[in-house]
Amino acid sequence: MSGESFEPRCAVVLAGRRGTDDPLADADGAPHRALLDIEGEPMLLRVVRCLLGRKGLDRVFVNIDAPELLDAYPEWRDLAQQGRVQIILSTDSPSRSVLESLEAAGLDEAPVLVTTADHALLDDAMLDEFLAGCAQNPADLSLAMVPRASIVARFPEAKRTYLPFRDESYSGANLFFFRTPNAKKAALFWRRVENDRKKPWRIARAFGLWSLILFVTKRLDLAGGMRRASLAIGAEVSAIPLTIAEAAVDVDKVEDLVLVRKILSER
């Protein structure tokens, strides 16, 4: 696996809500955030179709809290009848939903790619770059991150959550490659900090006092941060920096939805 990209056989799309109250979906008239209209089609189906278009990727597991809503879409029914998609009922805990999805997708036998339903701009270019990076770095778990400089240069007005490191600040890109069963330890660790996902310093504190001090004083670069994360989690974790700013754009608020629609209309 020198520098070539490689393809997992299964992927998981996380589409569960933390509660039924969803101002973003309500504001746009959608029955569910994952079903927001993006260029005339549900956002979730855009993501699923992108994944199923990958060579070698046979099945997509969709973790969602209201699967009955998908029955209204003929394309979804067709994919289900073909056996290419499978539903997993999500829980009220994202980390637990991830663990159950990995179990269903067969992580014990083969690697699993994980992304989210709000990754509306997901495309082959992002996946190619991410999977090529994963091929070069055989960690238990690889995650995609985008440098702040790339995002600001492309979207100067966009507001993102960044993790500040010595070399650069990075935003997550909602792409995860679980290569080995040991990677499940990362999801177990996430259960401890998932409620603080928008508070980077609290997440850093969970890795230990010294790691928190190094993080706050920006004495850790990205690689160093991943080494400390690996020690705390008990599994090797690597970050794959992506050059595509759009990879960091998820649909988390109204401004994000407006931005995504603007990007796609300009294409």
Side-chain angles (χ1 to χ4, degrees):
M1 286 195 261
S2 53
E4 297 182 359
S5 175
F6 65 104
E7 300 290 336
R9 289 167 45 202
C10 290
V12 168
V13 179
L14 302 173
R17 298 170 293 186
R18 286 177 175 263
T20 53
D21 183 25
D22 192 338
L24 176 56
D26 293 342
D28 204 60
H32 191 290
R33 178 175 299 203
L35 301 175
L36 285 165
D37 184 274
I38 305 292
E39 292 201 316
E41 61 183 350
M43 181 166 60
L44 170 62
L45 282 177
R46 287 178 62 89
V47 175
V48 169
R49 190 187 310 108
C50 174
L51 293 169
L52 289 175
R54 305 290 297 183
K55 182 180 179 181
L57 202 153
D58 302 322
R59 186 180 298 180
V60 173
F61 294 80
V62 175
N63 189 299
I64 190 168
D65 58 292
E68 67 280 0
L69 295 175
L70 295 171
D71 294 336
Y73 301 95
E75 182 177 356
W76 174 265
R77 295 198 301 270
D78 291 343
L79 291 173
Q81 289 172 359
Q82 296 167 18
R84 303 202 69 195
V85 294
Q86 184 172 324
I87 287 290
I88 302 168
L89 189 63
S90 62
T91 72
D92 59 357
S93 163
S95 58
R96 194 170 135 216
S97 292
V98 170
L99 286 167
E100 292 182 0
S101 298
L102 292 173
E103 187 73 25
L107 178 60
D108 289 340
E109 285 79 40
V112 178
L113 175 70
V114 176
T115 189
T116 57
D118 62 359
H119 208 323
L121 299 176
L122 185 68
D123 60 19
D124 281 334
M126 295 175 198
L127 290 169
D128 286 344
E129 187 173 12
F130 177 57
L131 292 171
C134 293
Q136 294 178 322
N137 195 337
D140 294 311
L141 170 66
S142 295
L143 52 99
M145 304 191 83
V146 183
R148 183 178 184 275
S150 298
I151 298 171
V152 172
R154 180 75 174 87
F155 308 113
E157 304 301 323
K159 295 180 180 179
R160 314 300 322 163
T161 299
Y162 293 101
L163 288 172
F165 292 94
R166 186 181 67 206
D167 53 342
E168 170 66 289
S169 293
Y170 293 84
S171 182
N174 286 349
L175 282 172
F176 309 88
F177 186 70
F178 288 77
R179 185 190 297 268
T180 72
N182 200 43
K184 287 187 281 189
K185 290 180 180 177
L188 292 170
F189 183 87
W190 183 247
R191 293 186 71 170
R192 292 168 47 192
V193 299
E194 62 187 357
N195 290 330
D196 295 323
R197 68 194 188 284
K198 297 295 185 181
K199 300 171 184 174
W201 71 270
R202 287 192 179 180
I203 295 176
R205 184 177 63 184
F207 291 101
L209 177 59
W210 184 239
S211 292
L212 173 61
I213 293 171
L214 292 174
F215 178 75
V216 170
T217 58
K218 295 186 180 180
R219 293 173 60 189
L220 283 175
D221 60 11
L222 183 60
M226 292 303 105
R227 284 194 294 270
R228 287 193 165 269
S230 298
L231 289 172
I233 291 170
E236 187 179 356
V237 181
S238 70
I240 309 296
L242 301 184
T243 61
I244 304 169
E246 285 85 347
V249 178
D250 55 6
V251 182
D252 199 38
K253 47 190 180 297
V254 172
E255 305 92 277
D256 299 328
L257 182 59
V258 171
L259 177 60
V260 162
R261 287 172 173 168
K262 180 176 182 291
I263 292 169
L264 291 173
S265 68
E266 290 174 350
R267 289 180 182 177

